[in-house]
C-alpha cells in the first residue's frame, strides 16, 4: 500500500463533514459561556469578601465568620459576653471581652480535660479584669473558670492558671464599627508550663564578715 493520500483505499478516507471548520456561532457560544463562568466566580469571591461589611451585626456569614458590632461588646474591665444559640451552636459557644483598649479576645465557652476527657462549661468572672491583672484569689476562681468536674482556672486571655491546658481561642479582626470572629480559625490552647517546686539555683551562702 502506498503512502500518498491518493493511494489510500476509499474506506480509509475521512468524511467531508469532518474537514469543515467549527461554525463561528459555536465558538462565540463557548467563549461567552467561559466568560460568564469566570465573571460569576469573581462575583462570588467578591461577595464572600464583602459579606462581613454587608451583614447587619450580629450575624454569622459564610466562611464561619461571626460579625458583631463594637458598640455591643464590653469595654475594658467589663463583664465578658457569651454568644450561643441561635447565633452559633451551643457546642461552639464562645466568650468575648476586651482585655486591652481596641483589642478583643474570643475564647471557647467549653474546655476538655486532656487527662480525663471531661468536657466542661467555661464561666467568666464578673467583672472581667484586664489582661495582665490578676485579682486576689484568681488562681482559686480565675477570670475564666471551668465548672466541675473540671474546676480549673484561666487568665483573661485563656491561658492556663491551674489548668493543664489553656482555652481554645479564635482569630479576631477589628474595624471601625465591627468585630469579626473567624470561627474556622481555631487557636488551640497551649499547655501550661510547670514551675519547679524547688529553686534550681543553690541557696546563697552568707559571706562571713571580715575579721580584724
Amino acid at each position: 500500500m502506498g503512502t500518498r493520500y491518493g493511494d489510500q483505499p476509499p474506506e480509509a478516507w475521512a468524511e467531508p463533514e469532518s474537514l469543515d471548520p467549527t461554525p463561528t456561532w459555536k465558538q462565540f457560544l463557548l467563549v461567552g459561556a467561559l466568560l460568564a463562568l469566570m465573571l460569576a466566580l469573581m462575583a462570588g469571591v467578591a461577595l464572600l469578601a464583602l459579606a462581613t461589611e454587608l451583614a447587619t451585626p450580629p450575624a454569622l456569614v459564610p466562611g464561619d465568620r461571626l460579625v458583631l458590632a463594637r458598640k455591643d461588646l464590653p469595654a475594658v474591665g467589663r463583664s465578658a459576653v457569651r454568644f450561643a444559640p441561635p447565633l452559633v451552636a451551643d457546642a461552639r459557644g464562645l466568650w468575648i471581652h476586651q482585655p486591652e483598649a481596641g483589642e478583643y479576645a474570643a475564647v471557647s465557652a467549653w474546655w476538655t480535660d486532656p487527662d480525663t476527657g471531661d468536657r466542661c462549661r467555661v464561666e467568666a468572672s464578673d467583672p472581667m479584669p484586664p489582661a495582665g491583672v490578676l485579682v486576689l484569689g484568681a488562681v482559686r476562681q480565675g477570670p475564666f473558670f471551668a465548672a466541675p468536674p473540671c474546676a480549673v482556672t484561666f487568665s483573661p486571655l485563656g491561658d492556663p492558671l491551674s489548668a493543664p491546658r489553656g482555652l481554645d481561642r479564635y482569630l479576631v479582626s477589628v474595624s471601625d464599627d465591627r468585630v469579626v470572629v473567624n470561627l474556622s480559625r481555631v487557636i488551640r490552647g497551649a499547655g501550661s508550663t510547670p514551675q519547679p517546686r524547688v529553686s534550681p539555683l543553690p541557696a546563697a551562702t552568707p559571706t562571713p564578715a571580715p575579721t580584724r
Side-chain angles (χ1 to χ4, degrees), residues 75-78 97-101 103-105 127-135 143-144 154-159 161 169:
V76 178
R78 298 295 181 89
H97 72 110
Q98 191 174 179
E100 297 180 7
E103 296 185 9
Y104 293 85
M128 175 65 65
V133 176
L134 293 180
V135 297
F144 287 111
F154 310 89
S155 77
L157 296 179
D159 298 321
L161 293 179
R169 297 179 58 185

Side-chain angles (χ1 to χ4, degrees), residues 11-191:
E11 58 269 16
W13 296 356
E15 296 294 334
E17 294 80 4
S18 66
L19 302 178
D20 292 341
T22 303
T24 305
W25 68 270
K26 290 186 177 180
Q27 296 178 358
F28 286 151
L29 183 62
L30 178 61
V31 172
L34 293 176
L35 181 61
L37 178 61
M38 182 177 66
L39 291 176
L41 291 175
M42 293 174 61
V45 172
L47 286 176
L48 286 177
L50 293 174
T52 57
E53 298 297 329
L54 299 177
T56 301
L60 187 64
V61 300
D64 265 353
R65 292 170 295 175
L66 182 61
V67 183
L68 305 169
R70 289 189 66 176
K71 63 182 180 62
D72 296 334
L73 296 180
V76 178
R78 298 295 181 89
S79 302
V81 177
R82 179 184 171 92
F83 290 91
L87 195 57
V88 295
D90 185 62
R92 305 175 67 191
L94 64 151
W95 288 98
I96 298 179
H97 72 110
Q98 191 174 179
E100 297 180 7
E103 296 185 9
Y104 293 85
V107 302
S108 175
W110 295 92
W111 183 78
T112 302
D113 192 319
D115 298 324
T116 65
D118 292 330
R119 191 167 186 266
C120 302
R121 185 185 181 95
V122 173
E123 302 293 348
S125 64
D126 187 11
M128 175 65 65
V133 176
L134 293 180
V135 297
L136 184 63
V139 175
R140 179 176 57 81
Q141 178 172 334
F144 287 111
F145 53 97
C150 296
V152 289
T153 58
F154 310 89
S155 77
L157 296 179
D159 298 321
L161 293 179
S162 65
R165 185 180 66 84
L167 295 173
D168 291 343
R169 297 179 58 185
Y170 298 100
L171 192 64
V172 179
S173 59
V174 182
S175 64
D176 292 337
D177 62 343
R178 60 188 60 199
V179 173
V180 179
V181 183
N182 193 336
L183 300 180
S184 65
R185 298 291 301 273
V186 181
I187 305 171
R188 298 298 178 187

